[in-house]
Amino acid sequence: MTALICGSMAYDTIMVFPDKFKHHILPEQVHILNVSFLVPELRREYGGCAGNIAYNLRLLGGEPLIMATVGKDFAPYSQWLGYCGISQEHITVLEDSYTAQAYITTDLDDNQITAFHPGAMSFSHRNTVPTDRGIRLGLISPDGKDGMQQHAAQFAAAGIPFIFDPGQGMPMFDGAELLDLVDKATWVTLNDYEAQLMQERTGLSADELARRVEALVITRGANGSLIHTHGQVIEIPPARPHATLDPTGCGDAYRAGLVYGLLEKLDWPTTGRIASLMGAIKVETHGTQNHTLTLAAFKERYRENFGASF
């Protein structure tokens, strides 16, 4: 079961400041801000929406194909993908760019200061959706703006159904551009904040947006998710994590569950619950690609959480 996952591949450098930013930033002096934070704790993680979604789909037994543009520093990530058994056939390496990177500093109040360098991601439009690989569905996640628009058009022209997942890339688009992408998509997935922003930019309600696609999925964090489809709203309960350590990447894990359910042609209540459980499992581990599972163990946790099997 092959899905083409279009989106970013990135390195996440995460630093922890063992104090509070507010103790070091003077509000009356922000116009001449010049501060330095000592960060004794640092880790570098493999990330990016396409990488995270593919990793989680692979855990479920899927065979994701990532389509992304990366830079000359991609070798460590490439080795990791090889170890995970994830195809790199449609990942393009640009030797004159760096792979996208996020530098995140977190304080003891969980406030974050982030700097993001898109690097090679800005050239995602150089990739073209393949039409000879038996791709059953696609997913467009945050990427270079031109790439997202071109890949949506290519999926539509090839008759390949796809999920539109604008995520943090939504601010790049105006209302008309967003509606064009929605109308080309088969499914749309958003978190609750993104859903509000989508409605403001397009002038359409959630119900009106849902009527333009097969399903509109809105995640609500610890409150579960809602799936608007064919005039009904299916409420998906949250799954129970064993621990809550790091929410980063749980949305990507959820989306991998959606892709899995669609590939397996499962109903929406089951697909949503699989997605919910994938998000809960991710929360239990620091980083976006450090959790592991077997499909058998996943099915057992599904039964424990929801009292049914799939």
Side-chain angles (χ1 to χ4, degrees):
M1 52 181 190
T2 302
L4 185 70
I5 312 298
C6 305
S8 62
M9 303 289 287
Y11 290 114
D12 296 332
T13 300
I14 302 167
M15 297 156 281
V16 178
F17 177 51
D19 200 341
K20 300 180 180 181
F21 295 143
K22 66 184 180 182
H23 294 161
H24 301 268
I25 299 175
L26 303 175
E28 67 277 9
Q29 298 295 320
V30 293
H31 64 291
I32 53 171
L33 186 65
N34 186 357
V35 295
S36 176
F37 301 111
L38 179 66
V39 287
E41 182 181 334
L42 179 149
R43 69 180 192 272
R44 195 183 199 203
E45 304 283 1
Y46 302 122
C49 293
N52 295 340
I53 293 168
Y55 177 81
N56 284 280
L57 183 58
R58 184 64 180 151
L59 290 180
L60 289 169
E63 297 178 0
L65 295 174
I66 297 172
M67 192 167 78
T69 43
V70 299
K72 55 189 174 183
D73 56 343
F74 189 65
Y77 206 153
S78 176
Q79 293 173 2
W80 170 245
L81 293 177
Y83 174 79
C84 296
I86 297 174
S87 171
Q88 302 176 57
E89 180 181 353
H90 299 288
I91 296 177
T92 300
V93 179
L94 305 179
E95 294 296 344
D96 57 350
S97 297
Y98 288 103
T99 301
Q101 343 222 342
Y103 296 89
I104 305 165
T105 304
T106 303
D107 75 355
L108 295 182
D109 282 335
D110 286 331
N111 295 310
Q112 290 186 335
I113 297 174
T114 300
F116 182 73
H117 172 65
M121 187 185 80
S122 299
F123 302 96
S124 61
H125 55 277
R126 295 187 184 181
N127 284 331
T128 301
V129 171
T131 58
D132 59 350
R133 288 299 313 275
I135 296 166
R136 288 179 51 192
L137 67 85
L139 186 147
I140 293 178
S141 59
D143 210 348
K145 179 179 179 179
D146 290 345
M148 293 176 73
Q149 292 174 312
Q150 291 183 25
H151 299 153
Q154 290 162 7
F155 276 130
I160 299 172
F162 72 92
I163 299 171
F164 177 45
D165 170 29
Q168 293 179 330
M170 191 181 295
M172 296 187 295
F173 303 99
D174 62 27
E177 291 169 329
L178 285 170
L179 277 181
D180 180 67
L181 289 163
V182 168
D183 287 340
K184 287 183 170 67
T186 311
W187 312 278
V188 173
T189 180
L190 309 162
N191 64 28
D192 45 6
Y193 174 80
E194 293 158 0
Q196 289 298 320
L197 185 57
M198 175 75 81
Q199 292 175 68
E200 289 176 7
R201 294 213 166 179
T202 63
L204 299 180
S205 68
D207 288 340
E208 289 170 327
L209 287 166
R211 286 198 288 270
R212 303 173 88 109
V213 290
E214 288 292 315
L216 169 66
V217 181
I218 300 176
T219 61
R220 303 183 297 165
N223 294 318
S225 52
L226 300 174
I227 300 176
H228 299 250
T229 180
H230 298 293
Q232 62 176 323
V233 180
I234 302 169
E235 186 165 356
I236 304 298
R240 298 183 299 273
H242 292 161
T244 303
L245 296 181
D246 183 3
T248 307
C250 63
D252 294 332
Y254 183 101
R255 281 146 182 76
L258 290 181
V259 174
Y260 177 85
L262 289 167
L263 287 171
E264 293 290 334
K265 299 183 179 180
L266 301 174
D267 59 35
W268 280 115
T270 303
T271 295
R273 284 166 171 77
I274 290 172
S276 179
L277 181 55
M278 284 299 296
I281 290 172
K282 181 7 279 30
V283 167
E284 298 167 357
T285 307
H286 287 292
T288 58
Q289 298 181 30
N290 295 324
H291 53 295
T292 60
L293 59 87
T294 65
L295 186 57
F298 181 83
K299 289 185 174 183
E300 177 58 24
R301 283 195 62 175
Y302 183 97
R303 186 192 63 77
E304 291 171 358
N305 272 268
F306 305 116
S309 301
F310 70 90

